[in-house]
């Protein structure tokens, strides 16, 4: 049941997560354009073109080795002004890693909270439109039969009830 609630929360959070991820991608793209214009000559392995810059900034947003990238840019000179690289990366890390990544987590937590506040069957029908199979009771009854004769008796009993219900329901 808990796994089902997690899946429901992930399913319900897709629209909000898409918006937050799109906003993060836009910020990364803006910083990639600035990074190419600032650092392409000094660090072409990190900011040689737009896609390399996007990859470098995505890597930096995860916290993976972004300090090494900054140190390499400082060594290369960054146009003779390491304060540009410092300001660039500090603002990027604050905006993307500290703010936008927390927005993604907040969206997920909100959906987990919404799913945990709803009744289990209510949330299933709301998200997936699941209904029990009409023959589920018949199947369950037949699976509890002990031998073929018992199965035959139960099938005849169910058939008689269906016929009786059909005759009383018709006008």
């Amino acid at each position: 049941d808990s796994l089902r609630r997690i899946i429901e929360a992930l399913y319900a959070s897709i629209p909000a997560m898409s918006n937050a991820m799109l906003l993060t991608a836009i910020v990364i793209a803006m910083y990639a354009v600035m990074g190419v214009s600032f650092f392409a000559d000094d660090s072409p392995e990190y900011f040689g073109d737009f896609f390399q810059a996007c990859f470098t900034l995505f890597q930096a947003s995860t916290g993976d080795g972004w300090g090494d990238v900054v140190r390499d840019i400082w060594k290369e000179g960054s146009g003779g002004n390491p304060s540009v690289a410092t300001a660039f990366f500090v603002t990027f890390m604050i905006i993307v890693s500290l703010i936008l990544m927390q927005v993604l987590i907040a969206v997920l937590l909100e959906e987990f909270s919404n799913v945990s506040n709803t009744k289990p069957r209510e949330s299933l029908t709301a998200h997936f439109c699941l209904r029990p199979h009409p023959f589920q009771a018949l199947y369950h009854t037949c699976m509890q039969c002990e031998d073929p004769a018992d199965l035959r008796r139960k099938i005849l009993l169910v058939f008689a009830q269906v016929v009786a219900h059909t005759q009383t329901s018709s006008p």
Side-chain angles (χ1 to χ4, degrees):
D1 188 49
S2 61
L3 179 61
R4 180 175 289 168
R5 287 184 177 263
I6 291 171
I7 292 171
E8 288 174 11
L10 289 173
Y11 179 77
S13 69
I14 289 174
M17 288 290 289
S18 299
N19 291 335
M21 286 183 185
L22 180 65
L23 181 61
T24 304
I26 289 171
V27 171
I28 287 175
M30 289 172 28
Y31 269 85
V33 169
M34 289 189 296
V36 168
S37 66
F38 292 154
F39 311 119
D41 295 333
D42 296 330
S43 286
E45 67 274 7
Y46 296 120
F47 292 98
D49 62 18
F50 177 76
F51 296 108
Q52 283 179 324
C54 283
F55 180 76
T56 300
L57 292 173
F58 177 75
Q59 178 184 358
S61 71
T62 64
D64 180 31
W66 73 280
D68 297 334
V69 173
V70 175
R71 284 188 192 92
D72 287 346
I73 291 174
W74 279 352
K75 288 177 188 173
E76 298 297 326
S78 67
N81 193 0
S83 61
V84 172
T86 303
F88 177 84
F89 277 101
V90 167
T91 58
F92 176 78
M93 293 303 288
I94 288 172
I95 291 171
V96 174
S97 295
L98 297 179
I99 296 173
L100 291 178
M101 292 299 172
Q102 298 304 319
V103 168
L104 291 172
I105 293 170
V107 166
L108 276 176
L109 288 176
E110 180 181 355
E111 290 304 326
F112 278 113
S113 173
N114 290 343
V115 167
S116 67
N117 291 336
T118 60
K119 295 178 185 170
R121 191 49 66 184
E122 211 177 81
S123 63
L124 275 178
T125 12
H127 290 304
F128 299 108
C129 298
L130 294 178
R131 293 187 176 90
H133 194 276
F135 295 111
Q136 187 173 7
L138 176 64
Y139 175 75
H140 183 66
T141 303
C142 291
M143 291 305 293
Q144 293 178 345
C145 295
E146 296 173 4
D147 57 14
D150 189 27
L151 177 63
R152 180 173 172 74
R153 270 191 310 275
K154 288 185 180 181
I155 290 175
L156 289 175
L157 178 67
V158 169
F159 182 72
Q161 288 176 351
V162 169
V163 169
H165 179 70
T166 306
Q167 289 174 348
T168 60
S169 307
S170 10

